[in-house]
Each structure stands twice: as C-alpha cells, then as structure tokens.
C-alpha cells in the first residue's frame, strides 16, 4: 500500500513541475497579435474526422467566396492541414501528431472541424482530446461562445477559461489503488487574470453593462475560490460594469428562467462549467449543431463547431447531409477576429435568413433534407443578394 502511495506522490510531483513551468511561460508572454500589421494572414483549415471534413469543407468554400479578392492579392492564404484523424492519432499515440502541430503553428488562425475523443468503452485507446491538446499547445486560453436570439431578448457571450480547471490535466489522473482514483483541477493566478480581464475588456469594448462570474466556490474553495477572488479584484477596475456572482447549479437553472435570462450579458467561468453551460445555452439557439466558438490566445486563434464528430453518420453514409451551420458560424467569428467585420456581418445575416427567416432549405441529417453543399450554396446565393 505504501508503495502505491509513493507512486501516486511521484506522479503528482511531476504534474506540479509541469504546471509551474507553464506559469513561467505565461509570465513571459507578449501582447496579442495585430493582424493589420501582417503582410499575409494564413488561415489553416483542419477538417478533423467523422463529419468534420464534410462540414468544414463547406465553410471553407464560403470563406474562399468572401475572401476571393484578398486571396487573389496574396493578403490571405488558406492552407489545408490533413492528419488530425482518430486513426492517425491512435497510430502515433498522440493527441496531435507532431507534423500536424508543426503545420498548425505556421498559421495565424485555424478553422477546425470536430475530432473524436475516446471514452471508456470505445474501441480506441485513451488518447487525449485533440481540442484540449491544441488549446494547451497554442495557449488558446479564452473560449468565446456567443448565443444571440433577438426575439427572445437573449444576447449572451460566454468567456470560458480554456487551458486550466478540470480539463488541464484530465488525462493525468492517478489510480492510487484498484479502489481509489484521483483527478486534479488546476488554477493559476495568471490563468484566472487573463480570462477574467478578457471578459471585462470585451464588455467595455462592446457596450455591455454586466459581467457574471460562475463558480462553485462555496464547495470547491481553493481553485474556484481563487477564480472568484480574482474576479472580485479585477471588477474594481471597471466601475461602469456591474459584476455579479453565481453558482454553476443556480446559473444552469436561471438560463431557462424566462424572466431572468434576459439579464445576462457576459459570463466568465472555469473550463468544465463553461463546457456544460454553453451547450445548454446553445439549445436556445437551435442546438449545439448551430453554435460556433472561438479559442483565442495572444499569438494564435482557433475557431470550431462545439459539437462532436458524429462517426455514426459517416458509417451510415450520411456525412454529406451533416449540418454545416456550426462551423460556418465559426468561420464568421474567424473573419471578424482577423478584421474582416463587413464580411463577417454579411455571413451572419445570411445565416439568419437561411436558418430563421426564409428557410428555403432544411437540414435533417438525412436524405429527407438538403446536403451540406446545397446549404452552403444557399448561403452564398443569399450573400450575393445582400
């Protein structure tokens, strides 16, 4: 028994060493990249696996349509990056194959399709999530997920911490004995500060008057407690913005409260809570299949759908019918992030027309509805009319 305890202590010690090294890296970071100063902006398109290539390919077609002049002039380069499939990752026992990661690092921004993350009972070995690995490798600390439904008075922007919390070392838990397993939640002062400040800066820049922190600091006192303490300190620097605090269980309930949910504007929260609450929020917009998200760091940014890879659709030959709206919305976020706000606005308007107002085509995920290619054509035809 003592030997098992010592082995667990050794594993924990290695984990602490890794995390302290990460703290030092964060301390040495520079400012955010200025895309206007770049001679050429490189957009990487990484299809992933499952339905990923099918839906990401349609978003790429739309980006190429909107950026045709910039691509022709050399201001924008779109690069396809292959190899981020579950088969390749398993074969190399890597969350992201080394050559794929090297290619990703040559890009300024990335549009990424869904990737398969093995879970217990799957035929795949326990390979770390490609999403989690990419966020850590590129230090994409802010996961930004907007949900907007004007007719219901909903205009939410979620700032989910992306590199810490329960997901930071999710694959490095310890089986101390056959009966005892321990996982870890990691929080740093630097990690809390940058995500919370990013949320307040977004609120300030976009005329928002309220930022809400979501934790479970009454129970998880050390890590959630640090997040909440940091929130309170930073909030003092923004006197024109109301700062309030919610526990994750209560916030989950209040989002379905028609009387209260209109009050929320910007919400900042740790990694696990952010993952759960943004999936709930996306349901109001039509489900996770309609929602895109941004993963932003100081040097790199990655934009993706928030749903999974749906391998069953591929097995059944239905991937051509997969709804591409989520990754198309992510492409709109990408365009806005690199400074093409007018093109992003056109894409957002076309999405609203095609999915809410006109709805000339319907996606069902089967041959009873439109294909992804047909829907992308519909969006481009709609943009042409704007």
């Amino acid at each position: 028994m003592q030997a098992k305890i010592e082995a667990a202590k050794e594993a924990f010690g290695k984990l602490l060493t890794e995390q302290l090294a990460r703290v030092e890296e964060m301390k040495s970071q520079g400012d955010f990249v200025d895309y206007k100063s770049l001679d050429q902006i490189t957009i990487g398109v990484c299809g992933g696996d499952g339905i990923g290539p099918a839906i990401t390919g349609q978003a790429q077609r739309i980006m190429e349509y909107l950026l045709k002049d910039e691509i022709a002039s050399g201001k924008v380069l779109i690069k396809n990056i292959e190899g981020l499939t579950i088969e390749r990752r398993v074969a190399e026992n890597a969350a992201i194959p080394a050559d794929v990661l090297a290619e990703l690092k040559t890009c300024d921004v990335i549009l990424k399709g869904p990737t398969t993350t093995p879970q217990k009972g799957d035929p795949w070995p326990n390979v770390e999530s490609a999403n989690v690995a990419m966020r850590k490798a590129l230090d994409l600390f802010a996961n930004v997920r907007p949900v907007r439904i004007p007719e219901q008075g909903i205009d939410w922007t979620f700032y989910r911490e992306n590199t810490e919390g329960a997901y930071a070392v999710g694959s490095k838990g310890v089986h101390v004995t056959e009966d005892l397993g321990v996982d870890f939640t990691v929080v740093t002062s630097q990690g809390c500060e940058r995500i919370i400040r990013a949320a307040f800066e977004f609120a300030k820049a976009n005329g928002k008057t309220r930022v809400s922190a979501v934790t479970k600091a009454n129970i998880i006192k050390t890590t959630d407690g640090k997040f909440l303490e940091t929130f309170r300190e930073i909030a003092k620097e923004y006197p024109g913005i109301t700062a309030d605090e919610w526990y994750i269980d209560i916030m989950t309930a209040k989002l379905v409260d028609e009387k209260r949910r209109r009050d929320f504007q910007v919400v900042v929260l740790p990694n696990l809570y952010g993952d759960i609450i943004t999936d709930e929020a996306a349901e109001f917009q039509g489900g996770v299949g309609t929602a895109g998200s941004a993963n932003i760091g100081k040097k790199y940014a990655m934009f993706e759908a928030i749903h999974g890879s749906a391998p069953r659709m591929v097995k059944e030959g239905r991937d051509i019918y997969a709804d591409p709206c989520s990754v198309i919305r992510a492409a709109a976020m990408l365009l806005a992030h690199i400074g093409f706000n007018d093109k992003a606005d056109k894409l957002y308007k076309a999405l609203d027309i095609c999915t809410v107002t006109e709805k000339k085509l319907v996606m069902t995920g089967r041959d009873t509805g439109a294909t992804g290619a047909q829907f992308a054509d519909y969006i481009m035809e709609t943009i042409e009319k704007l």
Side-chain angles (χ1 to χ4, degrees):
M1 180 66 73
Q2 188 59 37
K4 291 181 178 180
I5 293 174
E6 292 302 320
K9 288 165 63 176
E10 181 179 356
F12 185 51
K14 290 179 180 178
L15 187 151
L16 293 179
T17 300
E18 291 172 2
Q19 294 305 307
L20 288 170
R22 190 172 67 85
V23 168
E24 294 306 313
E25 289 177 5
M26 284 190 284
K27 288 180 178 179
S28 64
Q29 286 179 341
D31 294 328
F32 285 93
V33 64
D34 178 9
Y35 295 101
K36 292 180 180 178
S37 69
L38 299 180
D39 294 330
Q40 184 178 69
I41 301 171
T42 301
I43 302 173
V45 178
C46 189
D49 56 32
I51 63 171
I55 61 175
T56 308
Q58 302 311 319
Q60 181 175 350
R61 288 179 59 215
I62 293 171
M63 282 201 305
E64 289 171 344
Y65 164 74
L66 286 166
L67 296 170
K68 54 182 178 291
D69 293 339
E70 289 76 14
I71 292 171
S73 69
K75 177 62 178 177
V76 171
L77 172 66
I78 296 183
K79 176 190 292 190
N80 286 297
I81 300 173
E82 307 292 339
L84 196 64
T85 63
I86 184 62
E87 293 83 5
R88 175 89 183 278
R89 291 160 55 214
V90 165
E92 300 190 17
N93 192 29
I96 304 175
D99 63 326
V100 176
L101 182 58
E103 279 289 295
L104 291 169
K105 288 184 175 180
T106 67
C107 303
D108 300 298
V109 290
I110 299 154
L111 184 68
K112 176 189 163 296
T115 50
T116 300
T117 301
Q119 62 182 358
K120 191 174 181 61
D122 283 351
W124 308 108
N126 185 26
V127 178
E128 184 184 26
S129 161
N131 279 10
V132 173
M134 194 178 298
R135 290 164 186 164
K136 289 192 285 187
L138 304 181
D139 200 23
L140 307 175
F141 65 85
N143 183 220
V144 185
R145 296 184 177 182
V147 174
R148 294 183 178 89
I149 314 166
E151 62 270 22
Q152 295 184 29
I154 291 175
D155 186 359
W156 302 326
T157 303
F158 295 90
Y159 270 73
R160 167 194 173 193
E161 204 292 317
N162 225 8
T163 58
E164 300 190 344
Y167 288 7
V169 286
S171 64
K172 297 183 179 181
V174 175
H175 287 286
V176 182
T177 69
E178 291 183 0
D179 300 314
L180 176 63
V182 179
D183 274 314
F184 305 102
T185 296
V186 174
V187 163
T188 67
S189 298
Q190 292 75 18
C192 293
E193 193 274 340
R194 64 186 184 177
I195 186 65
I196 293 167
R197 191 171 297 282
F200 275 99
E201 284 295 316
F202 172 84
K204 180 180 177 182
N206 290 275
K208 306 297 182 182
T209 58
R210 182 175 183 179
V211 177
S212 305
V214 178
T215 68
K216 194 63 177 172
N218 58 330
I219 304 298
I220 305 175
K221 298 182 185 297
T222 300
T223 51
D224 280 21
K226 177 181 281 292
F227 191 95
L228 188 55
E229 287 172 6
T230 306
F231 176 81
R232 291 169 177 169
E233 287 302 310
I234 291 176
K236 295 175 183 177
E237 302 175 29
Y238 298 85
I241 297 174
T242 299
D244 58 357
E245 307 166 7
W246 296 82
Y247 295 136
I248 178 61
D249 46 350
I250 301 302
M251 173 60 81
T252 303
K254 291 305 174 186
L255 288 188
V256 300
D257 183 339
E258 294 183 4
K259 295 180 180 179
R260 300 297 301 276
R261 67 189 185 200
R262 295 169 181 247
D263 296 338
F264 298 113
Q265 297 181 14
V266 181
V267 181
V268 61
L269 60 181
N271 206 332
L272 175 60
Y273 307 148
D275 191 8
I276 295 168
I277 210 83
T278 52
D279 280 2
E280 180 198 20
E283 283 297 310
F284 294 100
Q285 192 173 257
V288 295
T290 68
S293 71
N295 301 268
I296 298 171
K298 292 188 174 180
K299 184 176 182 180
Y300 301 103
M302 181 265 283
F303 300 80
E304 62 178 340
I306 71 170
H307 59 71
S309 58
R312 188 175 70 177
M313 289 189 72
V314 179
K315 289 180 181 178
E316 296 175 357
R318 295 190 289 115
D319 50 324
I320 64 169
Y321 298 103
D323 188 342
C325 285
S326 54
V327 72
I328 292 171
R329 198 172 295 276
M333 297 175 72
L334 184 155
L335 292 170
H337 182 72
I338 61 177
F340 297 111
N341 296 80
D342 56 337
K343 300 178 189 296
D345 288 343
K346 285 184 177 180
L347 184 47
Y348 281 128
K349 287 177 183 176
L351 278 164
D352 287 343
I353 291 169
C354 295
T355 61
V356 179
T357 310
E358 284 186 352
K359 297 181 71 173
K360 289 182 179 179
L361 292 181
V362 177
M363 303 291 298
T364 65
R366 300 180 181 275
D367 59 9
T368 54
T371 66
Q374 289 170 332
F375 203 84
D377 289 342
Y378 177 31
I379 287 176
M380 288 185 280
E381 291 165 5
T382 303
I383 292 171
E384 195 67 32
K385 298 174 185 176
L386 294 176

XYZ file of all heavy atoms in Angstrom, residues 123 193 212 273 319 335:
50
model
N -13.625 1.588 -28.880
C -12.573 0.688 -29.355
C -11.200 1.351 -29.386
O -10.194 0.671 -29.586
C -13.036 0.344 -30.782
C -13.880 1.502 -31.207
C -14.566 1.962 -29.951
N -6.532 35.596 -14.192
C -6.464 37.028 -14.501
C -6.718 37.304 -15.977
O -7.497 38.191 -16.341
C -5.095 37.572 -14.087
C -4.999 39.088 -14.066
C -4.643 39.683 -15.421
O -4.101 38.948 -16.272
O -4.914 40.888 -15.632
N -20.882 38.432 -15.368
C -21.249 37.492 -14.306
C -20.210 36.389 -14.202
O -19.834 35.780 -15.210
C -22.615 36.866 -14.601
O -23.603 37.860 -14.794
N -17.285 24.095 -16.138
C -18.588 24.752 -16.068
C -18.931 25.402 -17.409
O -20.074 25.383 -17.866
C -18.608 25.813 -14.973
C -18.173 25.331 -13.616
C -17.509 26.177 -12.729
C -18.408 24.023 -13.201
C -17.104 25.750 -11.476
C -18.004 23.583 -11.950
C -17.345 24.449 -11.098
O -16.940 24.023 -9.855
N -22.779 11.639 -44.000
C -21.968 12.813 -43.707
C -22.245 13.967 -44.668
O -22.094 15.135 -44.295
C -20.477 12.471 -43.681
C -20.031 11.694 -44.900
O -20.804 10.869 -45.391
O -18.884 11.904 -45.348
N -13.553 35.447 -39.366
C -13.437 36.623 -40.229
C -13.453 37.915 -39.419
O -12.665 38.838 -39.678
C -14.571 36.629 -41.255
C -14.527 35.521 -42.318
C -15.820 35.503 -43.117
C -13.328 35.699 -43.236
